Amino acid sequence: NTFMMSAHDVFKSIVNPALKRLVEHISYCSLGCANQGSKYKISATFGRGSADRLRSILKSPLPPTQTAKCALDLAELAEAIQSSNESMLTIRSLGDDGEAT
């Protein structure tokens, strides 16, 4: 008895969670924390069990020179995520037989 997943199911169960973890990790590495008063929370993706001083450094925003170095990579990541979202919309609009629904 073989279980076949649709492309939409694969994307939803495997690709989407991986993309979400990637975005969370990039956010944490590049920002460290959300702006004060923001409704968004950036969770630590590594260093949780480290000493308080190191956790404090990891949660601090990058200096402007480092942020500038990350800007191009973040822009590329944003493009890749946008492309992924567009692909998901195409997959979702196709039935199991590959035909538009």
Side-chain angles (χ1 to χ4, degrees):
N1 191 7
T2 303
F3 175 70
M4 297 285 289
M5 293 176 70
S6 69
H8 178 262
D9 291 337
V10 169
F11 201 96
K12 187 176 173 183
S13 65
I14 298 171
V15 177
N16 192 38
L19 282 175
K20 183 177 179 184
R21 282 191 303 274
L22 176 63
V23 169
E24 289 171 347
H25 183 65
I26 295 299
S27 297
Y28 181 64
C29 289
S30 61
L31 301 174
C33 61
N35 289 335
Q36 199 169 18
S38 173
K39 66 179 181 178
Y40 300 104
K41 182 179 185 295
I42 298 176
S43 300
T45 57
F46 65 93
R48 291 183 194 116
S50 59
D52 289 343
R53 184 164 186 254
L54 178 56
R55 277 198 321 270
S56 174
I57 291 169
L58 292 173
K59 286 184 146 185
S60 300
L62 289 175
T65 55
Q66 296 300 315
T67 300
K69 289 179 181 180
C70 294
L72 183 58
D73 292 333
L74 291 173
E76 288 180 20
L77 176 63
E79 283 182 29
I81 291 169
Q82 179 63 34
S83 175
S84 172
N85 285 337
E86 290 169 1
S87 298
M88 182 59 210
L89 292 173
T90 301
I91 290 169
R92 187 183 304 166
S93 69
L94 297 176
D96 289 337
D97 58 0
E99 297 295 323
T101 57

